[in-house]
C-alpha cells in the first residue's frame, strides 16, 4: 500500500502496551475535536471525537483527553495491537465546521 | 470499507496537463469534501459541496475546480498541473452540512504524480 510519507513524529510500542499520542491545537475557538486513524494505502478513518464541554471520552480501547487550559488533546490506546499501526491525526473545527488537521503521529506496534 | 469510492487510484501525468478525479459518496450522503494530502502540508481542506451547491472553500487554487452532479457524485478538476500538485487527493462524504458533528467518511484516495 501507499504510505503517507510525511516526516512525522513516531511512537514505537510493544504489542500489549498502552499508547499515548499527543496533539497540541492552537485555535481557542475550537469546540470540537476528532481523532482519525490512517492506515497505509487508505483514507483517514474516524476513531473518536470530543466536544469542548467534556474533558474525557471513552470508546472501545480508546480514550480521548482534552485539556482546554493548555490546548492539548491526547489519544490513549489500551493494549495496543499490531493492527493499530497507522498514522493518527487530531483535527479541530476551529470555530467552523470544516476540520483542520494536525500533521499526525506515526504509531508502530512491534509484535 | 467506508462506502466512498474514488477513481482512479493512481494517476501519472505531465506538467501543464489537466486531470479529473472522481468521487462517489456513501449512499444517502449529501455532502462531499475534497482534501489534498502532500508531504509537507499534511491534510488540507480544498472544497465542500452539499446537494449540488458549493458550501465551503478552503485552500483551493484557482487552477482547481470541482462540481457535484445531480446523482451526488463529485469531480475535482486540476489544470495547468505543476510538480507541486503531486499529492494524495481524498474525497470524504457526510450526511449533512453546516455542522462539525457530521462524521466524515473518507475514500481511499487518488495518488497524483506530476512529472
Amino acid at each position: 500500500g501507499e504510505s503517507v510519507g510525511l516526516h512525522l513524529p513516531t511512537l514505537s510500542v510493544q504489542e500489549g502496551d498502552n499508547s499515548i499520542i499527543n496533539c497540541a491545537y492552537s485555535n481557542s475557538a475550537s469546540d470540537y475535536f476528532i481523532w482519525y486513524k490512517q492506515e497505509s494505502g487508505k483514507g483517514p478513518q474516524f476513531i473518536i471525537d470530543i466536544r469542548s464541554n467534556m474533558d474525557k471520552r471513552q470508546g472501545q480501547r480508546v480514550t480521548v483527553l482534552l485539556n482546554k487550559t493548555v490546548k492539548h488533546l491526547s489519544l490513549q490506546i489500551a493494549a495496543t495491537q499490531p493492527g493499530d499501526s497507522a498514522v493518527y491525526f487530531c483535527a479541530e473545527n476551529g470555530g467552523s465546521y470544516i476540520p483542520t488537521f494536525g500533521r499526525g503521529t506515526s504509531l508502530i506496534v512491534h509484535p | 470499507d467506508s462506502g466512498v469510492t474514488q477513481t482512479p487510484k493512481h494517476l501519472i501525468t505531465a506538467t501543464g496537463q489537466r486531470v479529473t478525479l472522481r468521487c462517489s459518496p456513501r449512499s444517502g450522503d449529501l455532502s462531499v469534501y475534497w482534501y489534498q494530502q502532500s508531504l509537507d502540508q499534511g491534510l488540507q481542506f480544498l472544497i465542500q459541496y452539499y446537494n449540488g451547491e458549493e458550501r465551503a472553500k478552503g485552500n483551493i487554487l484557482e487552477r482547481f475546480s470541482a462540481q457535484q452532479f445531480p446523482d451526488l457524485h463529485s469531480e475535482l478538476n486540476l489544470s495547468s498541473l505543476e510538480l507541486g500538485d503531486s499529492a494524495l487527493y481524498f474525497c470524504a462524504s457526510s450526511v449533512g452540512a453546516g455542522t462539525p458533528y457530521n462524521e466524515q467518511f473518507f475514500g481511499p484516495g487518488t495518488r497524483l504524480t506530476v512529472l
Side-chain angles (χ1 to χ4, degrees):
Chain A
E2 299 159 11
S3 68
V4 171
L6 295 167
H7 300 294
L8 301 171
T10 300
L11 175 65
S12 290
V13 301
Q14 290 295 129
E15 181 178 0
D17 287 350
N18 296 332
S19 302
I20 300 176
I21 300 171
N22 297 302
C23 177
Y25 66 95
S26 56
N27 194 332
S28 55
S30 292
D31 60 2
Y32 181 61
F33 305 88
I34 313 163
W35 280 100
Y36 286 90
K37 171 186 181 184
Q38 186 175 18
E39 297 175 88
S40 182
K42 297 183 179 180
Q45 178 186 8
F46 173 95
I47 302 173
I48 192 168
D49 60 358
I50 188 168
R51 300 191 188 191
S52 59
N53 60 353
M54 304 171 70
D55 53 20
K56 180 178 180 179
R57 188 159 189 234
Q58 288 185 288
Q60 188 178 14
R61 280 202 307 120
V62 295
T63 301
V64 56
L65 299 178
L66 175 63
N67 185 330
K68 295 181 288 293
T69 302
V70 295
K71 298 197 190 74
H72 184 267
L73 200 62
S74 69
L75 177 71
Q76 300 178 0
I77 305 173
T80 314
Q81 302 166 0
D84 295 326
S85 294
V87 175
Y88 289 81
F89 295 94
C90 67
E92 58 178 303
N93 72 321
S96 78
Y97 64 91
I98 303 294
T100 301
F101 288 81
R103 289 183 57 79
T105 296
S106 177
L107 175 65
I108 299 172
V109 182
H110 301 281
Chain B
D1 183 359
S2 67
V4 179
T5 61
Q6 289 187 248
T7 56
K9 190 174 175 64
H10 300 278
L11 198 48
I12 301 174
T13 188
T15 54
Q17 295 299 304
R18 173 189 168 95
V19 296
T20 297
L21 312 183
R22 183 189 168 102
C23 168
S24 292
R26 290 188 325 153
S27 177
D29 285 358
L30 298 179
S31 269
V32 169
Y33 310 77
W34 285 99
Y35 293 86
Q36 180 192 59
Q37 188 175 47
S38 58
L39 288 175
D40 57 349
Q41 292 293 323
L43 200 62
Q44 299 285 317
F45 167 69
L46 296 177
I47 196 164
Q48 180 207 3
Y49 278 79
Y50 175 74
N51 204 21
E53 300 289 326
E54 182 184 304
R55 189 65 184 257
K57 227 171 185 176
N59 300 320
I60 187 166
L61 300 172
E62 285 191 11
R63 300 183 286 110
F64 296 0
S65 65
Q67 54 185 328
Q68 186 179 28
F69 295 86
D71 67 353
L72 300 177
H73 91 271
S74 178
E75 292 181 355
L76 178 67
N77 301 296
L78 314 176
S79 61
S80 302
L81 285 167
E82 302 175 359
L83 296 177
D85 297 327
S86 296
L88 278 164
Y89 290 84
F90 288 103
C91 167
S93 73
S94 68
V95 171
T99 165
Y101 313 119
N102 285 310
E103 181 178 342
Q104 292 187 24
F105 295 85
F106 283 78
T110 293
R111 164 81 72 181
L112 174 66
T113 303
V114 182
L115 301 175

